[in-house]
Every structure is written in structure tokens, then in C-alpha cells.
Amino acid sequence: MQINLDDTANIFNTLIEESPMPIALYIGENMVIQVANRAILKAWGRDASVIGQELALALPELKDQPFLEILNQVRTTGVAYEAKEDKVLLLNNNVLQTYYFDFIYKPLKDTDGNVWGILNNATDVTELVNAKFKVEQSEALFRKMIYDAPVAIGILRGRDLIIEDANDDLLKIWGKNKAVIGLKLLDGLPELIGQPFPDLLQEVYNSGVAHYGYETMARLERNGVLGDFYFNFVYDPIFGQDGQVSGIMVVANEVTAQVISKMEAAKSEERFRNFMYDIPMATAYYETENLIIRLANDEMLRFWGKDKSVIGKTVVEAIPELNVQPFVDILQEVYRTGIIYHADQEEARLIVDGKEQKRWFSFTYKPLKDADGQVYAIIHAAMDVTKQVQLQQQKDEFLGIASHELKTPVTSIKAYAQVLERMIRNEGDEKKANMVHKMDLQLNRLTGLIGDLLDVTKIQSGKMTFNPIEFDFDAAVEEIVEEMQHISSKHKIICGLASKAIVYADKERIGQVITNFLSNAIKYSTDAGEIDVTTFSQNGEIILSVKDYGIGISEDMQHLVFDQFYRVDGNLQHTYPGLGLGLYISAEIIKSEGGRIWVESTTGQGATFFFALKVKSFR
Ligand code: ADP
């Protein structure tokens, strides 16, 4: 385009036309568009054809908007109108769109002061306003997030830490209400002065690095009372557009209840610890399947010959000599199964003062279980019974020597008595001969008692020997029954022998058990006339039973009859003589032969004694 620089009107026209700022000029009462530059046409979404038209007709979308009215006022009053970021709806490609303008309606007056036209000068600020909206929206969203957050959140602004925002949870934690918003933190919560938090906040402010606190105690005033509360919290720096810290976001989660219950647990653990240390019994406490020693009181350490350095080690590390003994396996079994283990007079070899010592303990391994029934620890309580065991051993030794020493003279007295009986009988003095015979029968009892005592000492010292042979079981039972039938003419022993089994065992010893069953059946059923003996085979075992119809054994005593020295109760002790050893010896014999022994009985209705042995083969 050729411009003649002398033509000022043309230059102004060009300036207006090319200005990036929208400009229009309306003339007269009807606001005829006299001038509309390219920028305003673009904003209107129109072309130059609107020039010369009335504004209301050219832009019909203005009809429901306030602008025509405002223009009218400017024209009649002669006062300019200025608006900032005003919303205008304009048709663009036939779609009504929202724009924002800073604009001026400036009345142009003639020399008489009459308004002849209005200059419309505008700046399109739509983008700016939209951006501002977005910021406001995201700020509103952020605030909403703070208020709705399920944790306590607040914003402290500026170096003075002005409380800009604090959601209800945070106010609740602080024990304050909305009145603190807008105050400096230390004015709103003066109780924080002297606590570490103000310094921590300044540190975050200075360094721009977040601070995390775990289970931290804060002294806060709630309902007018100062109290200790515990929190997990974050002080997170907020950066301004200049990259500098402009505030701090506080996020806090109160964990007072958890911390208190933890402290309670620690207290009760301490009480438990003290209890274990003070208990007069040797006690230790193991955790995990590896059996880590968590506690062991002085008494237990003394047993082990160790000091406190074993705490925290596994049992195997701490007491390596146990490795070749059964205890570690038993402990692990208790841990796995959750079944308590008791031991009575168990031998243990421990290295005390550098020397291996053989000691005996009675002890318990008790598993501790959590709410789900899972084992988490074992308590070990032990008593050193070495002295008692040694005394018992001395007593057993004495019994062994005494019964052995008694056996020889009694055996020769018996031989002499038999010879004497025969001689007197030959002399024809039946009365004297019968007296000597009675003496011989009493000697049999004496021999039996001495035999039992000897057997017991053999069992105690592990010296009972067995000479197994194969034998016909039913035939052996029959032999013994016949012998016993001779002794007691009062009872009829009825046999039902149907095992048909061959067993491999010490025939003498098994015979001893059957004899014991039968002599007990005779002894404890003085008022009855019958004893039933049966044998049968079942699941590869022979089972023998001896049933009597005598006094019986009460249920709570049945498990005791196989113990050493167990005897009938109270008054009956004198009615039924004995040492309480027969069934103990019988049980030891049957156990050594790999069998089972048991009793079934009801008081007053007799008893049935059983044993079971493995069948070798059948006849
Ligand atoms: P002893 O008969 O010498 O006392 P045992 O060891 O043979 O010793 O038996 C132990 C105890 O078992 C007896 O004292 C008695 O109380 C009880 N007992 C054994 N057999 C019977 C039975 N057949 N009927 C009732 N009680 C019995």
C-alpha cells in the first residue's frame, strides 16, 4: 500500500486500521458504526460490511447485554464509561462466545459540548481472565482438598507462619477454632513456644527441605488443659513462582492412642521381664523357631554356666554342648506343634567352669501363642534335681546290694527247708513236715519279693537283660495258668486262648508279666470265684487280657497303677500285702519288648489288665 505522508487523515486512518487494539466509532443516536478497525471486526467476528450499519443491527447479540444502554447513557450524559475485564458475548462463526475486554466508551463532543459520537476503545483480555479463573479454580480446589482431606492439613504462610488455612481436623488437633486463622502460629498456639516445632518450621523455611516427624510428642492445650499428644507429621515447604519458599504445608496424623498402647505394652513387657528375673525358679524365654534367648534369669545362667552375653544368641550358639543332646530338637518340636513338654529328672550335660558336668533337671517347655494360635515364644522353667536323683541312685544301689545279699542266704534256707521237709516226712511226722512245708511256701513269697526288688534295681540302672526266643504264645499262657491254678484252688481260671501266634520275646519275662496279672487278679478279688484269661490277634498284635471280678480300680487311679511303689489306698494296704512293684516291672518289661500295657476297670466291678505284643508269625 502506498502511503502519502502529507495526507494526515490517511495516516490516522492507517494507524487506526492497523492498530492491534480494537477501535470503533459510533455516530448519532442510533450508534451507526462509522469506524471499525480490523482488530475490532475480528473480535466481533464480522467483516467490514458492518461499517455504516447501526450497532444494534450489526451485532444483534448485544440486544440482551448492557452495552447499548451504557452507550446511550454516555451519549446523553457526556460522561465516559470505563470497564475492566467485562464479559461480552459475541457471535463467532455463528457461535455465541464469551470474551473479556478492558474497554472505554469515550464521548466525542463538538464545540458546544454536544456528543456527536462515541469512541470505543477496547483490549481483549479474554486469555488473561481465563488464566486467572483457572488459578482461582485450582486454588479453590486445593482449599477444598485441604478441608476434605482425611488427615489434618494446614498452610502457614510467610516467615511469620501466618495460619492461612487449617482444616477441621487440624483445628481439632490443636484444640482451637477458626479464630486462629489469620494469626501468626505462635500467637494462635502460644503453648508451642519452647517446644521444638517453631525451630523445625524455620529450618524447613530456610532449607526448603521437608521435615518428617514420627510419633513425636507435642504439648497442646485442649479444652483449656495442657496434655501430651503424639503425631506423625510432615512440614512440606511451598515454593512461590520465584522458586523461594513462601509457606509451609503442615500435614499431621495423631497417633496418641497407638503410642500410648505401645508404651503400655513396653511397660507390661518390663514387668514381665522383672517378674522373670525375680522368680526363684530358673527361667528362660526363647523367641522364633531358631530359639533366640531373649531372657534368662540368674538362676538359669548359673545352670548353664554362662553369663548375660548369651542373651540375643540362639540356644545352639549359646550352649553348643546341647547340640548332641535332645533338648534343641524337643524345643523346636514344641515351637512347631504348640504342645507343652514336661520332663522329670532328665539328665543334661553342661559345661560349667570349663568342665562338663552331668546334672538332672525337671523342666517344662511351655509354648506361648498369639490370638491366632500361632506360637511366638517358649518359656522354659527348670529345677535342678541332681541331689534328689543322686539320693535316689544311692537308695537304688542300697536296694540292689541288700536284695542281692538277701538272695543267697534265702536260697540256701529254702534248700535246707525242702531237705528238712523230706527228712521229717520220711520219719513219718506229718504234722512237723506240714509246718516245714508252710515255711517253704513263705520262703517262696520272700524269694518273689527279693526278685522284684532286684528287678527294680536292674530297671533303674538299665541292666535288665532280655533273651528273646520264638515261642507259641497260647501254649505259654496255658502253662502259667495251670501253675497258678495249683496255687489258688478258690478261683477258677477260665481260658479262651485264640491268638495262634508265635512271638519273639523273652519268654521268662513275659511269663513274669502274666503271672503278675494273675496273682493280682487272685489277690484283689477274694470274694469272686472266676478269672478269665483270653488271647487273640488283631492288626499284627497279640492281645492278652486277665479279667477278675474283684474290687476294681477307680478311673482316676488307673494311670498310676504302673508307677513304681503305687499301692492300694489307705485301709486296704494291710488287707492286700505287696510292695507296689509288680505292675511297674511288668510295664517296663512290656515296653522293652516294644509292646503296650493298659487296664480297664470300674470300682467294685473288677479289673481287666491287658498287654499287646507284636506277632512274629502264626501257627
Ligand atoms: P502290689 O499288688 O504288690 O501292690 P502291683 O504293682 O502289682 O503291686 O499293683 C499295684 C497296685 O495296683 C495295687 O496295690 C492295687 O492297688 C492295684 N491293682 C493291681 N491289680 C489289681 C486288680 N486286679 N484289681 C484291683 N486293683 C489292682
Side-chain angles (χ1 to χ4, degrees):
M1 184 171 55
Q2 278 289 316
I3 295 281
N4 179 356
L5 291 176
D6 295 333
D7 185 348
T8 24
N10 201 10
I11 286 174
F12 277 112
N13 269 341
T14 309
L15 280 179
I16 288 168
E17 185 61 25
E18 296 300 325
S19 168
M21 192 181 274
I23 300 171
L25 177 64
Y26 315 121
I27 305 286
E29 204 175 325
N30 292 333
M31 302 289 159
V32 174
I33 302 166
Q34 177 73 25
V35 174
N37 74 351
R38 207 181 314 195
I40 207 161
L41 288 174
K42 185 162 175 263
W44 286 346
R46 303 295 197 284
D47 59 24
S49 65
V50 296
I51 296 174
Q53 288 185 24
E54 287 178 20
L55 182 62
L57 297 175
L59 298 167
E61 64 264 36
L62 293 185
K63 188 168 156 257
D64 297 324
Q65 301 185 55
F67 307 104
L68 295 173
E69 180 55 35
I70 295 170
L71 280 166
N72 209 25
Q73 268 179 25
V74 171
R75 194 182 59 80
T76 48
T77 60
V79 179
Y81 177 87
E82 195 166 341
K84 282 249 173 275
E85 296 177 4
D86 214 354
K87 182 172 162 187
V88 188
L89 297 170
L90 292 169
L91 269 179
N92 207 334
N93 295 329
N94 282 327
V95 182
L96 207 55
Q97 290 190 359
T98 305
Y99 296 87
Y100 292 89
F101 289 99
D102 289 348
F103 67 88
I104 302 172
Y105 291 154
K106 187 170 171 39
L108 302 177
K109 299 174 186 171
D110 58 19
T111 41
D112 299 334
N114 293 323
V115 177
W116 59 267
I118 295 174
L119 179 68
N120 179 2
N121 200 339
T123 312
D124 184 349
V125 291
T126 308
E127 264 175 40
L128 197 75
V129 171
N130 281 343
K132 228 158 106 183
F133 273 167
K134 270 200 188 118
V135 170
E136 276 170 16
Q137 262 172 4
S138 77
E139 238 181 56
L141 196 73
F142 180 60
R143 258 169 239 282
K144 192 170 150 34
M145 257 169 58
I146 288 184
Y147 281 103
D148 293 351
V151 286
I153 299 189
I155 296 207
L156 305 175
R157 189 64 72 180
R159 208 163 257 293
D160 286 340
L161 308 171
I162 308 275
I163 304 167
E164 184 179 284
D165 262 315
N167 69 0
D168 289 346
D169 282 1
L170 188 58
L171 290 173
K172 208 163 119 200
I173 282 178
W174 285 345
K176 300 285 182 277
N177 58 31
K178 280 201 163 36
V180 298
I181 292 181
L183 298 181
K184 289 181 187 172
L185 179 69
L186 294 185
D187 290 344
L189 288 88
E191 62 268 31
L192 290 185
I193 297 169
Q195 298 192 48
F197 308 103
D199 286 349
L200 286 173
L201 285 160
Q202 290 305 335
E203 176 65 25
V204 172
Y205 212 99
N206 294 337
S207 66
V209 177
H211 173 87
Y212 294 84
Y214 296 101
E215 299 182 352
T216 307
M217 197 260 276
R219 187 151 286 173
L220 294 169
E221 191 181 301
R222 289 185 188 168
N223 303 323
V225 184
L226 261 186
D228 292 347
F229 304 96
Y230 294 84
F231 300 95
N232 291 338
F233 68 93
V234 189
Y235 290 156
D236 208 5
I238 301 169
F239 295 93
Q241 287 197 327
D242 54 359
Q244 297 296 311
V245 177
S246 70
I248 293 174
M249 181 161 81
V250 178
V251 180
N253 191 14
E254 181 161 358
V255 290
T256 306
Q258 291 92 310
V259 171
I260 285 178
S261 76
K262 233 187 195 175
M263 292 197 301
E264 292 282 317
K267 233 191 254 164
S268 89
E269 194 176 314
E270 192 182 319
R271 261 185 249 132
F272 169 69
R273 211 174 270 268
N274 289 340
F275 170 73
M276 292 254 309
Y277 282 127
D278 292 345
I279 218 168
M281 200 175 191
T283 314
Y285 177 84
Y286 312 124
E287 271 178 0
T288 81
E289 200 156 355
N290 294 329
L291 308 170
I292 296 168
I293 304 169
R294 287 284 175 228
L295 291 171
N297 65 6
D298 290 346
E299 189 70 357
M300 187 62 98
L301 292 174
R302 205 169 55 74
F303 284 0
W304 291 342
K306 301 285 184 294
D307 58 27
K308 282 203 163 20
S309 64
V310 299
I311 308 284
K313 292 184 183 163
T314 66
V315 171
V316 174
E317 281 165 359
I319 319 162
E321 63 265 33
L322 291 186
N323 234 342
V324 288
Q325 302 182 56
F327 307 105
V328 176
D329 284 347
I330 297 171
L331 276 167
Q332 278 164 347
E333 183 77 6
V334 169
Y335 203 96
R336 260 196 309 275
T337 59
I339 299 170
I340 192 167
Y341 181 85
H342 294 288
D344 210 21
Q345 304 190 343
E346 198 95 354
E347 182 188 315
R349 276 165 288 112
L350 291 163
I351 296 171
V352 179
D353 300 331
K355 272 187 287 175
E356 187 179 90
Q357 303 201 357
K358 196 180 190 184
R359 306 198 70 81
W360 282 266
F361 296 98
S362 289
F363 61 88
T364 300
Y365 295 148
K366 172 150 179 40
L368 300 184
K369 297 177 191 174
D370 60 19
D372 301 333
Q374 283 289 313
V375 176
Y376 65 89
I378 295 176
I379 289 200
H380 171 192
M383 238 165 44
D384 187 341
V385 290
T386 307
K387 271 225 165 63
Q388 290 93 308
V389 170
Q390 282 167 345
L391 278 173
Q392 204 174 320
Q393 282 175 345
Q394 280 171 7
K395 184 201 71 193
D396 290 343
E397 257 167 54
F398 168 77
L399 269 181
I401 294 166
S403 42
H404 192 80
E405 290 301 319
L406 284 170
K407 202 178 157 181
T408 326
V410 169
T411 313
S412 47
I413 292 172
K414 192 173 158 56
Y416 285 123
Q418 281 170 356
V419 175
L420 193 62
E421 186 194 339
R422 217 173 304 131
M423 282 166 65
I424 295 174
R425 220 175 276 286
N426 287 346
E427 284 169 13
D429 190 340
E430 279 297 313
K431 203 171 162 200
K432 280 186 189 155
N434 283 345
M435 278 170 72
V436 176
H437 180 69
K438 277 193 182 134
M439 195 168 98
D440 187 40
L441 289 181
Q442 289 303 319
L443 280 169
N444 281 345
R445 263 192 74 196
L446 192 56
T447 319
L449 293 174
I450 292 170
D452 278 357
L453 283 175
L454 265 176
D455 280 347
V456 169
T457 51
K458 279 184 196 154
I459 291 168
Q460 302 285 349
S461 56
K463 286 186 191 138
M464 189 178 249
T465 50
F466 289 87
N467 302 307
I469 52 162
E470 281 186 20
F471 64 93
D472 181 326
F473 189 71
D474 292 343
V477 174
E478 201 162 355
E479 250 172 59
I480 294 163
V481 167
E482 261 170 36
E483 228 169 84
M484 293 300 286
Q485 187 66 77
H486 278 303
I487 296 171
S488 175
S489 47
K490 191 170 176 296
H491 291 87
K492 181 150 180 50
I493 305 175
I494 297 170
C495 287
L497 307 178
S499 79
K500 299 190 170 48
I502 306 289
V503 293
Y504 181 71
D506 185 320
K507 192 178 171 193
E508 291 298 316
R509 291 283 182 202
I510 297 297
Q512 195 179 339
V513 176
I514 302 167
T515 306
N516 184 235
F517 279 9
L518 282 168
S519 58
N520 278 345
I522 293 166
K523 186 158 74 172
Y524 297 104
S525 70
T526 35
D527 295 338
E530 185 182 317
I531 290 166
D532 298 323
V533 178
T534 65
T535 65
F536 59 95
S537 306
Q538 182 181 292
N539 303 330
E541 282 181 327
I542 57 97
I543 295 174
L544 169 128
S545 75
V546 175
K547 184 178 173 70
D548 66 58
Y549 300 89
I551 60 171
I553 306 160
S554 66
E555 202 164 328
D556 51 333
M557 292 298 165
Q558 287 174 13
H559 68 285
L560 294 174
V561 295
F562 300 104
D563 286 354
Q564 195 180 354
F565 307 127
Y566 176 77
R567 297 258 18 250
V568 279
D569 300 341
N571 297 339
L572 293 175
Q573 284 205 357
H574 302 291
T575 317
Y576 304 100
L579 292 178
L581 293 177
L583 287 176
Y584 167 69
I585 297 166
S586 298
E588 289 300 318
I589 292 170
I590 296 297
K591 267 189 260 165
S592 300
E593 294 285 11
R596 303 179 290 126
I597 188 165
W598 70 101
V599 62
E600 286 170 7
S601 177
T602 312
T603 320
Q605 293 182 25
T608 311
F609 279 84
F610 298 86
F611 70 71
L613 285 176
K614 282 208 174 58
V615 172
K616 169 92 188 186
S617 59
F618 289 99
R619 265 193 268 129

